[in-house]
Amino acid sequence: MSLDSESNWQIIYNQFHAAVGENPIDKILIPGVFAQHTIRAYCLSLGAKPHWWLGGRLVHLIGNTGPDFEVSRWTVPLKVRTLIRLPELTPLYRLKFEPARWHKEIAIVVESYIEPE
C-alpha cells in the first residue's frame, strides 16, 4: 500500500455547500455506493473563524434494501487531510457528511485509495 503517492487516490466527492438563510447546512448524503475501504477526507471553509478546527463528521453507512445503518463516525477537521480505514463489514457502503452547525459554507472532498496493479 503506497498511501503517499497522489496517483493512487481518486476523488469520489468534491462539492461546495452553503446554508440557506439562518438554517445550518443540512446533512449531506454523498451520492454513490463505494467499495474501497481506505479513504481520506478534508474540508475547507473560507468563512471559518481562526479558532474553528472542526469541519464536520463523516458517517460510514451500510444497508442495501432497507434503511442505512451507521457503522462508524469520523471527525474531519478543517484544512487537514484525514486518513480513514473503514471497517470491512460489507463489500459496499455509503457515506454521509454532517457539517458542524456553525458553518455557513463548506467544501468537502473525499478520495478513495486505488491499489496499484
Side-chain angles (χ1 to χ4, degrees):
M1 193 176 265
S2 180
L3 298 174
D4 57 342
S5 176
E6 289 298 317
S7 64
N8 294 341
W9 293 94
Q10 177 183 14
I11 294 173
I12 58 175
Y13 189 77
N14 182 3
Q15 291 292 320
F16 173 84
H17 298 271
V20 177
E22 294 301 313
N23 298 324
I25 302 171
D26 287 334
K27 296 175 183 176
I28 302 151
L29 185 60
I30 294 175
V33 177
F34 309 104
Q36 297 83 8
H37 287 78
T38 301
I39 63 173
R40 64 185 184 187
Y42 58 98
C43 301
L44 300 170
S45 177
L46 297 177
K49 294 183 180 178
H51 63 278
W52 291 358
W53 65 271
L54 178 63
R57 304 222 188 304
L58 191 67
V59 182
H60 172 204
L61 304 167
I62 60 172
N64 292 337
T65 57
D68 289 328
F69 295 96
E70 182 177 316
V71 176
S72 58
R73 181 176 281 266
W74 303 85
T75 298
V76 180
L78 289 172
K79 299 185 260 180
V80 176
R81 282 187 176 152
T82 302
L83 181 64
I84 300 169
R85 178 71 180 147
L86 299 171
E88 293 187 45
L89 301 176
T90 59
L92 301 173
Y93 64 91
R94 297 172 51 109
L95 293 170
K96 177 174 61 175
F97 184 76
E98 300 174 351
R101 65 179 174 8
W102 49 83
H103 288 295
K104 296 298 181 194
E105 52 85 20
I106 197 162
I108 305 126
V109 179
V110 181
E111 302 168 311
S112 64
Y113 179 76
I114 307 299
E115 192 74 40
E117 296 180 16

